[in-house]
Amino acid sequence: MKRRSKQQLVWFALMAALLGLTAYTILGQQSPRELLGAMARADGRVLLLALPVMGAYIACEAGATRLVLGALGCPQPFRNCCFYSCTGFFFSNVTPSATGGQPAQVYYMSRDGVPVASGTIDMLLVSIGCHTAVVGYALAALAFGRGLPAQLGGQVGLLLGVGLSIFVLLNVAMLLLLFFPGPAQRLGRWGIALACRLVHRLDRTGLEEKLEEAVEQYRQGARVIARTPLVLAGVVGLSGVQLGCSYLVPYLVYRAFGLSGMGLLEVAGLQVLCTVAVSFLPLPGAAGAAEGVFLRTFLAVFGPALVAPAMILTRTMSCYFMLLVTGGITLAGHLRRIRGERNGKTPCNPIQGVVS
């Protein structure tokens, strides 16, 4: 427990250091007065539209979770699903590579009476929906964006290539495990055997046990889809809307500054590529990297005088402000569950999940 707390402190310190470095870089180009003056010129009415947009972002994931848990036979109230979504957003943005979000969601689902197996399957299907939507958006941006990749530059373009490759490989692997578990399992065993030959210290038995557990979870997910085939389509659709909400924020900032000349699809397409480029960097909330990539990528969109203020407003509305809100909701929900357990009550009485 102490070790985990120390790790969390290290990651918080790293995130603060990266944000401090980013702030130092920005202030080296523009004074605080210039930044504040530029942000003050933005239309606050347009910026406020980002609040319901990010609210819809949370609600879409909550809708996907509610859809899957209902299909699993352990339905939850929509307010609980919104809480899980807030918890996932908060922990994903304070842990490296967003690794803490889904475990936290499964943990709170289990405290509400959802079987861990059902919570895990829910996260599995939501992940597939999200990855499918990201790959679809990225490929569309690359295929139809007029010269968008050229605006990224060499270093960001390299990150984009790595990030998109990882997204595609993970999505293909998850879909193979979901619909073709037998061949995927054999391929996984072959990969483990090869890795163990190359790295002798790897525990082959432990890795194969983890593979068996993962394959079983995917088999259960496949059974859910077989019973209710529209569930996965609904999850992918909701994930698409959810991600679309986050990609919309830079365009709202663009319009708030009274700029024109670039359409919604172009600005949103750049944000898609930026997000993919930093998604798998081992940094809490991609802190520092997301800001740096934005400054490089959106320079031609906002111009030298406005790109830093635009980055601050975009990250504030889509990340930092949302961190405060979701962190507060996570804390309040945690305390409510503690009080309920002390009083001998449970937040809900769900039906046990049926995954067989």
Side-chain angles (χ1 to χ4, degrees):
M1 205 63 174
K2 290 182 179 179
R3 183 180 178 183
R4 183 178 298 178
S5 299
K6 288 181 180 179
Q7 289 176 340
Q8 291 173 345
L9 288 175
V10 168
W11 285 115
F12 277 119
L14 177 59
M15 184 166 62
L18 290 170
L19 292 176
L21 179 61
T22 303
Y24 176 79
T25 302
I26 294 171
L27 293 176
Q29 301 171 357
Q30 291 176 283
S31 68
R33 176 176 292 183
E34 290 173 328
L35 288 171
L36 291 174
M39 288 188 286
R41 292 197 299 272
D43 190 338
R45 295 170 298 179
V46 179
L47 291 177
L48 285 175
L49 292 176
L51 299 181
V53 166
M54 291 307 296
Y57 176 94
I58 295 294
C60 284
E61 183 179 339
T65 293
R66 190 167 187 264
L67 184 64
V68 174
L69 291 180
L72 289 169
C74 45
Q76 290 289 296
F78 186 68
R79 64 179 181 275
N80 279 10
C81 295
C82 285
F83 171 72
Y84 306 144
S85 182
C86 289
T87 299
F89 184 95
F90 178 76
F91 283 102
S92 291
N93 280 279
V94 297
T95 53
S97 301
T99 52
Q102 292 191 348
Q105 288 175 289
V106 173
Y107 168 74
Y108 282 110
M109 287 181 196
S110 68
R111 291 189 67 166
D112 288 347
V114 176
V116 172
S118 296
T120 303
I121 294 170
D122 168 64
M123 291 293 96
L124 165 67
L125 295 180
V126 170
S127 291
I128 291 174
C130 184
H131 279 70
T132 302
V134 168
V135 171
Y137 275 123
L139 293 179
L142 291 172
F144 302 110
R146 294 178 296 179
L148 293 183
Q151 294 184 225
L152 300 178
Q155 293 179 334
V156 179
L158 178 61
L159 288 176
L160 172 64
V162 173
L164 183 57
S165 298
I166 294 174
F167 266 117
V168 171
L169 289 173
L170 285 177
N171 207 43
V172 169
M174 288 190 292
L175 291 174
L176 284 175
L177 281 166
L178 189 63
F179 294 110
F180 305 100
Q185 186 176 24
R186 289 192 292 273
L187 181 61
R189 285 176 177 170
W190 177 84
I192 290 172
L194 177 62
C196 291
R197 288 195 191 99
L198 296 174
V199 183
H200 297 291
R201 62 181 180 177
L202 292 177
D203 180 8
R204 180 170 180 172
T205 302
L207 290 173
E208 289 182 344
E209 288 177 354
K210 290 181 180 179
L211 175 64
E212 293 291 336
E213 293 174 2
V215 169
E216 180 56 31
Q217 290 172 0
Y218 277 90
R219 282 200 179 101
Q220 293 173 352
R223 286 195 284 268
V224 172
I225 294 173
R227 289 200 310 268
T228 52
L230 293 179
V231 166
L232 185 58
V235 170
V236 172
L238 285 167
S239 297
V241 177
Q242 177 192 15
L243 294 173
C245 290
S246 66
Y247 301 147
L248 178 60
V249 175
Y251 182 74
L252 293 176
V253 174
Y254 180 75
R255 298 299 298 168
F257 279 119
L259 300 174
S260 59
M262 293 191 72
L264 168 61
L265 296 181
E266 292 175 280
V267 178
L270 277 175
Q271 183 59 48
V272 170
L273 300 181
C274 286
T275 302
V276 172
V278 302
S279 289
F280 290 101
L281 295 178
L283 301 170
E291 289 79 5
V293 168
F294 188 102
L295 291 172
R296 171 65 183 84
T297 303
F298 282 89
L299 179 61
V301 177
F302 291 98
L306 290 179
V307 66
M311 181 275 292
I312 293 171
L313 290 174
T314 299
R315 288 287 287 171
T316 296
M317 303 306 292
S318 64
C319 182
Y320 305 131
F321 178 75
M322 288 298 296
L323 266 179
L324 292 176
V325 173
T326 56
I329 291 173
T330 299
L331 178 60
H334 180 77
L335 294 176
R336 183 173 69 85
R337 282 160 176 76
I338 290 176
R339 287 196 299 269
E341 290 167 1
R342 286 176 178 173
N343 294 331
K345 300 177 181 178
T346 56
C348 59
N349 185 26
I351 304 170
Q352 289 297 309
V354 180
V355 295
S356 58

